[in-house]
Amino acid sequence: MKKIAILGSTGSIGTQTLEVVRENGDIEVLGLAAGSNIALLEEQIREFHPRLAAVWSEEKAKELKGRIADTDTKVVSGMDGLIEVSVMEETEILVTAIVGMIGIRPTIEAIKAEKDIALANKETLVTAGHIIMPLAAENGVSILPVDSEHSAIFQSLQGNEHKAIHKILLTASGGPFRGKRQEDLLEIGPKDALKHPNWSMGQKITIDSSTMVNKGLEVIEAKWLFGVDVDQVQVVVQPQSIIHSMVEYVDGAIMAELGTPDMKLPIQYALYYPERRYLPGDRVDFWNLGKLEFEKPDMDTFYGLQMAYEAGRRGGSLPTVFNAANELAVSQFLKRQIKYLEIMEIIDDCMRAHKNIENPTLEQILETEAATYDRINSRR
Ligand code: NAD
Ligand code: MG
């Protein structure tokens, strides 16, 4: 039995990870952590019998304790609780399916405890990649990508020499507003932006996909996962989301991974790597597919992508500013406190105002996050 723990078990990636566990039947879930949905967490505890469950708020943790008093699962809370779930002695793989840079500390502690990481939580790598990647190498830990594009790249790298990579072709669906101009986006509300054409995901990443900030985060994520410069990563819009990303080698050969859009494939691949297992679901039918289309991304309208390239090129604490500004702006947009286009304006404003710190420590990253939040909150 493979032993895993999951941060963010009640979310989109978390629940799909548990589906993969259920369908395979040979993985033991030792720990689960979630934000506030204790009703679903209780169901998961009753089905998977983890030894440990973490809930972010202390109050909700107390409530959960009462509800599952008849089980053997211990309940913990807060950051200490998240970390406790991340470093459980027997865990082999930690699935980081939590959303946002709150994942940094638990991920670092898990790596120090020599857990392999199945990484969905891209915000952590974007802001602290310069700490996480060397630490993983030092501890002999594998960082296995769960993000579909990065899994596709990882799959396309199998059996090839890393040094022969010429560039990475990171595909994007273009999101619900592909083809729109800024003037078409003035009155966009959360409901419009939460409609993704091909993928069903958590709220934050769905908004990020609509602004293409998600693709920007993924460019920086690819830089850290595959040791390339951001300018070696070319974003290609592929509206059908059938090609999940590609690698172009120095001899001009291009390797790609294709499939129907289903996050269970990259999740299962990360959990069983290098083994490939049967996965039920639709298959690509080329006879009926018709055509695959390709476009250049519109980085004038969706300039969040352009700002991500700048943050990735300059590095230091700037990617933290890019990410933190986006995290808060998106949550304000979801609460209807700001307009859609203000998300990108806020990121731009925070990046311009920031004095970059080269090679920031964990404390400096968290201070930069707090300073970015203060700047945004003082606007209102
Ligand atoms: P989601 O909002 O559906 O789920 C987030 C999970 O994190 C929930 O279980 C929530 O309870 C938990 N959480 C949030 N704050 C917490 C806290 N303070 N303490 C403990 N738990 C907390 O998000 P998602 O769509 O599953 O995305 C998760 C991560 O995976 C994100 O980084 C996202 O960018 C990445 N990702 C998601 C997809 C997808 O298809 N959903 C694809 C690629 C990458
Ligand atoms: Mg992705």
Side-chain angles (χ1 to χ4, degrees):
M1 291 285 261
K2 205 171 260 225
K3 295 183 170 65
I4 70 165
I6 307 171
L7 304 184
S9 66
T10 57
S12 162
I13 296 290
T15 52
Q16 293 181 85
T17 302
L18 288 171
E19 276 177 50
V20 169
V21 170
R22 188 184 291 126
E23 281 157 18
N24 281 283
D26 60 353
I27 294 179
E28 190 179 342
V29 181
L30 297 182
L32 296 174
S36 57
N37 186 350
I38 56 168
L40 179 54
L41 186 56
E42 179 183 351
E43 275 177 36
Q44 295 177 342
I45 290 168
R46 295 196 183 280
E47 180 177 356
F48 295 98
H49 314 289
R51 292 180 207 164
L52 198 59
V55 183
W56 183 247
S57 93
E58 209 172 311
E59 204 182 308
K60 294 256 179 189
K62 263 195 202 135
E63 199 183 323
L64 180 68
K65 242 181 233 172
R67 292 169 73 146
I68 60 156
D70 60 318
T71 72
D72 295 328
T73 303
K74 179 182 156 199
V75 180
V76 290
S77 67
M79 182 53 80
D80 290 346
L82 271 180
I83 293 175
E84 214 178 314
V85 169
S86 307
V87 302
M88 294 175 71
E89 199 181 330
E90 289 174 48
T91 300
E92 294 159 72
I93 304 181
L94 178 70
V95 180
T96 61
I98 196 167
V99 59
M101 50 190 293
I102 188 140
I104 297 180
R105 289 188 50 208
T107 305
I108 288 179
E109 292 308 319
I111 294 171
K112 286 186 187 158
E114 299 179 355
K115 313 298 174 195
D116 286 334
I117 308 290
L119 184 135
N121 177 221
K122 64 190 86 181
E123 296 90 348
T124 282
L125 210 50
V126 165
T127 54
H130 62 290
I131 298 174
I132 286 169
M133 295 312 290
L135 194 65
E138 209 177 285
N139 286 283
V141 158
S142 305
I143 309 283
L144 302 152
V146 168
D147 210 346
S148 58
E149 295 78 0
H150 304 75
S151 175
I153 296 161
F154 184 57
Q155 293 178 58
S156 304
L157 284 168
Q158 300 303 314
N160 288 289
E161 275 183 288
H162 206 273
K163 64 172 200 274
I165 299 175
H166 177 56
K167 66 181 179 189
I168 284 174
L169 298 154
L170 187 72
T171 54
S173 70
F177 307 134
R178 183 170 60 90
K180 300 263 190 255
R181 311 286 313 177
Q182 293 244 341
E183 58 269 26
D184 305 320
L185 301 174
L186 294 170
E187 298 309 325
I188 292 297
K191 262 203 192 128
D192 314 303
L194 285 172
K195 282 185 210 127
H196 193 279
N198 305 340
W199 298 94
S200 152
M201 310 176 284
Q203 288 202 334
K204 191 246 172 196
I205 184 176
T206 306
I207 302 296
D208 289 353
S209 300
S210 80
T211 57
M212 293 200 81
V213 164
N214 180 53
K215 211 45 60 180
L217 295 170
E218 291 183 354
V219 168
I220 305 175
E221 185 184 11
K223 159 180 150 166
W224 290 118
L225 283 172
F226 307 114
V228 295
D229 294 332
V230 289
D231 292 305
Q232 278 177 284
V233 183
Q234 182 183 0
V235 174
V236 178
V237 177
Q238 205 289 284
Q240 293 82 13
S241 297
I242 295 290
I243 302 183
H244 298 149
S245 279
M246 309 178 256
V247 179
E248 184 186 315
Y249 289 94
V250 285
D251 58 0
I254 295 170
M255 303 291 225
E257 186 255 330
L258 286 72
T260 49
D262 180 355
M263 285 308 295
K264 282 197 278 182
L265 192 158
I267 293 168
Q268 179 168 285
Y269 192 73
L271 291 179
Y272 287 103
Y273 174 78
E275 187 186 345
R276 259 186 209 283
R277 289 229 171 159
Y278 175 72
L279 183 72
D282 293 342
R283 301 295 190 250
V284 177
D285 175 356
F286 284 96
W287 285 0
N288 288 312
L289 182 63
K291 62 183 175 189
L292 289 174
E293 294 163 300
F294 303 94
E295 284 172 20
K296 187 177 169 183
D298 174 3
M299 291 208 229
D300 294 324
T301 304
F302 302 100
Y303 63 102
L305 181 52
Q306 208 169 312
M307 292 190 281
Y309 271 100
E310 193 198 333
R313 243 174 243 134
R314 289 176 49 199
S317 53
L318 202 58
T320 295
V321 176
F322 173 79
N323 178 71
N326 179 61
E327 282 192 28
L328 186 57
V330 168
S331 81
Q332 292 186 344
F333 169 69
L334 285 169
K335 292 184 212 145
R336 300 175 191 276
Q337 292 166 343
I338 60 166
K339 289 195 163 253
Y340 185 68
L341 291 176
E342 277 182 276
I343 298 172
M344 286 184 274
E345 287 165 25
I346 287 172
I347 301 172
D348 185 39
D349 170 67
C350 292
M351 280 178 61
R352 279 177 202 276
H354 182 65
K355 223 173 148 280
N356 203 10
I357 307 166
E358 257 174 63
N359 227 348
T361 61
L362 175 57
E363 288 66 36
Q364 287 172 317
I365 291 171
L366 300 177
E367 280 163 23
T368 301
E369 177 192 34
T372 304
Y373 282 10
D374 285 348
R375 183 175 177 88
I376 299 171
N377 285 323
S378 67
R379 284 167 44 104
R380 302 184 53 235

